[in-house]
């Protein structure tokens, strides 16, 4: 059996990032190695300065070592995002592949520009940290807070609704200055994208479902965290192509994670819930409704979305994805009532 040593080393880093305990045992199990050989790989990573070890052999804990980091607090007034990129972030990602540098250039400048134009804060805090597996960028301010600002601008009842609107894309509180695309595409190109503001956190990750979480600690203003693997093969062009009309080059598709519309303890059953979900759909030609984590929906919700709204907006193609059998049945019932069984 041929063993790719680089794959073992990288997997060791991933295992450490997931859980810093029992790494040697898990690594040995995955690759069919002896504990001694697996530990040898870990010790090599320690010697090379990529990870840190603490504790005795059996209870040893491994952590990814920070290889480079930088942080600075900028006065917001007159700040230019490309300046922050050149002096703080670009030097730390200069050795990464061109596709990853391009992603960092786009994502970091978009988020810094949002803080400059929207936060109203006195300062903008920017930090970057790189380890052997991934790089993270943090952009923070102590302004009004993104969820509260969207709630106020759109006259929404709950800041959670602001997160749902944000996830759809094409949302901005300053249409003369912004297209509303920056957060949407940044969240899609990153492997981890998080926004914390006051008592809410919105998380979008490439390998997990979108989540809204309540926080006990009040995070003032807005705090955005971005993360992508240093060896990622993602390309900005591919992400834009997925959501863009190939002929008109317009942002015409969105994916709506419906679990963001389902408050804790509630189910998606009413017409009013469907109307909130469909708010601003007219800005898109293609809408994918992601039912991940939704086990069932009500007849009224399905009828409003797939018969009433669809009939009123024939130019918008609504496609349900990741549906459970129960959800699929309810959608088919609504389509049947509309005379469409496709």
């Amino acid at each position: 059996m041929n063993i790719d040593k680089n794959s073992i080393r990288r997997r060791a880093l991933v295992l450490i990032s997931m859980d810093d305990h029992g790494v040697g045992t898990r690594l040995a199990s995955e690759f069919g190695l002896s504990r001694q050989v697996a530990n040898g790989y870990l010790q090599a990573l320690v010697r090379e300065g990529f990870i840190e070890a603490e504790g005795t052999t059996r209870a040893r804990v491994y952590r990814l070592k920070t290889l480079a980091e930088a942080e600075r607090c900028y006065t917001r007034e007159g700040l230019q995002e490309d300046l922050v990129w050149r002096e703080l972030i670009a030097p730390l990602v200069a050795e990464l592949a061109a596709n990853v540098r391009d992603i960092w250039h786009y994502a970091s400048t978009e988020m810094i520009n949002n803080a400059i134009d929207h936060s109203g804060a006195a300062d903008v805090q920017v930090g970057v940290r790189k380890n052997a597996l991934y790089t993270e960028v943090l952009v923070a301010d102590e302004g009004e807070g993104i969820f509260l600002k969207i709630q106020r601008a759109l006259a929404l009842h709950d800041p959670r609704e602001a997160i749902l609107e944000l996830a759809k894309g094409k949302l901005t509180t300053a249409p003369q200055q912004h297209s509303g695309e920056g957060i949407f595409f940044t969240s899609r190109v990153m492997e981890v994208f998080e926004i914390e503001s006051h008592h809410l956190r919105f998380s979008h990750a490439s390998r997990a479902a979108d989540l809204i979480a309540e926080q006990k600690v009040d995070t003032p203003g807005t705090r955005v965290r971005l993360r992508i693997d240093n060896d990622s093969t993602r390309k900005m062009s591919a992400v834009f192509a997925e959501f863009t009309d190939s002929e008109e080059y317009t942002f015409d598709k969105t994916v709506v994670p419906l679990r963001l519309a389902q408050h804790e303890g509630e189910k998606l059953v009413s017409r009013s819930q469907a109307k909130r979900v469909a708010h601003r759909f007219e800005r898109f030609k293609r809408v994918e409704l992601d039912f991940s984590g939704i086990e069932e929906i009500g007849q009224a919700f399905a009828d409003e979305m797939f018969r009433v709204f669809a009939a009123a907006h024939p130019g918008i193609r609504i496609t349900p994805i990741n549906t459970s059998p129960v959800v699929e049945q309810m959608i088919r019932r609504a389509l049947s009532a509309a005379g469409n069984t496709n």
Side-chain angles (χ1 to χ4, degrees), residues 259-277:
R259 66 187 302 155
L260 298 183
Q262 183 173 265
H263 292 194
E264 188 175 353
E266 292 184 359
K267 294 181 179 179
L268 298 177
V269 298
S270 70
R271 292 187 185 275
S272 60
Q273 287 172 313
K275 290 175 182 178
R276 284 199 296 272
V277 168

Side-chain angles (χ1 to χ4, degrees), residues 54-294:
E54 182 180 302
T56 59
T57 303
R58 285 291 177 184
R60 185 160 293 171
V61 173
Y62 292 96
R63 296 186 181 88
L64 297 176
K65 187 174 181 179
T66 299
L67 303 179
E69 62 183 330
E71 184 177 350
R72 183 169 172 183
C73 183
Y74 294 88
T75 300
R76 184 186 66 84
E77 189 68 33
L79 182 62
Q80 298 177 357
E81 64 271 17
D82 59 330
L83 171 66
V84 182
W85 161 256
R86 288 196 302 270
E87 74 172 21
L88 194 75
I89 302 171
L92 270 69
V93 300
E95 296 180 359
L96 303 181
N99 66 300
V100 182
R101 294 199 308 272
D102 288 345
I103 288 171
W104 274 124
H105 190 190
Y106 172 83
S108 62
T109 53
E110 283 286 341
M111 295 305 98
I112 295 166
N113 180 260
N114 275 355
I116 294 170
D117 286 354
H118 297 298
S119 71
D123 303 307
V124 177
Q125 189 84 22
V126 182
V128 54
R129 183 178 62 183
K130 181 172 70 174
N131 58 42
L133 185 61
Y134 57 77
T135 301
E136 287 186 331
V137 167
L138 179 72
V139 181
D141 66 73
E142 294 192 1
E144 177 182 8
I146 185 172
F147 305 145
L148 291 178
K149 186 165 187 174
I150 293 171
Q151 180 188 8
R152 178 171 52 80
L154 273 60
L156 303 174
H157 295 290
D158 190 302
R160 286 172 172 265
E161 294 178 30
I163 296 178
L164 176 63
E165 293 304 314
L166 203 60
K168 295 175 187 176
K170 285 193 177 183
L171 174 67
T172 178
T173 56
Q176 291 77 24
Q177 298 170 282
H178 292 267
S179 64
E181 299 181 7
I183 286 180
F184 181 88
F185 282 108
T186 297
S187 69
R188 290 312 188 273
V189 79
M190 284 288 139
E191 275 150 5
V192 175
F193 175 86
E194 289 184 348
I195 302 179
E196 295 179 2
S197 184
H198 296 291
H199 292 286
L200 290 176
R201 183 177 76 248
F202 166 52
S203 302
H204 177 89
S206 60
R207 301 179 185 91
D210 287 13
L211 293 173
I212 298 176
E214 294 260 3
Q215 301 186 124
K216 293 183 179 180
V217 177
D218 186 351
T219 301
T222 304
R223 181 184 177 98
V224 180
R225 184 170 72 95
L226 314 174
R227 191 178 99 185
I228 191 169
D229 287 353
N230 296 330
D231 61 356
S232 175
T233 58
R234 294 185 181 197
K235 293 183 178 180
M236 283 300 310
S237 58
V239 176
F240 278 117
E242 182 181 354
F243 297 96
T244 303
D245 184 290
S246 59
E247 295 182 358
E248 298 179 6
Y249 301 102
T250 56
F251 174 21
D252 77 331
K253 173 188 171 182
T254 187
V255 179
V256 182
L258 287 181
R259 66 187 302 155
L260 298 183
Q262 183 173 265
H263 292 194
E264 188 175 353
E266 292 184 359
K267 294 181 179 179
L268 298 177
V269 298
S270 70
R271 292 187 185 275
S272 60
Q273 287 172 313
K275 290 175 182 178
R276 284 199 296 272
V277 168
H279 180 55
R280 298 190 310 109
F281 276 11
E282 67 276 4
R283 301 191 180 190
F284 303 92
K285 293 181 180 178
R286 299 175 291 161
V287 176
E288 288 189 356
L289 296 179
D290 187 353
F291 284 87
S292 298
I294 307 294

Side-chain angles (χ1 to χ4, degrees), residues 38-52:
N39 287 331
Y41 279 101
L42 295 171
Q43 292 309 310
L45 289 170
V46 171
R47 289 194 301 272
E48 293 166 25
F50 295 128
I51 64 176
E52 298 173 314

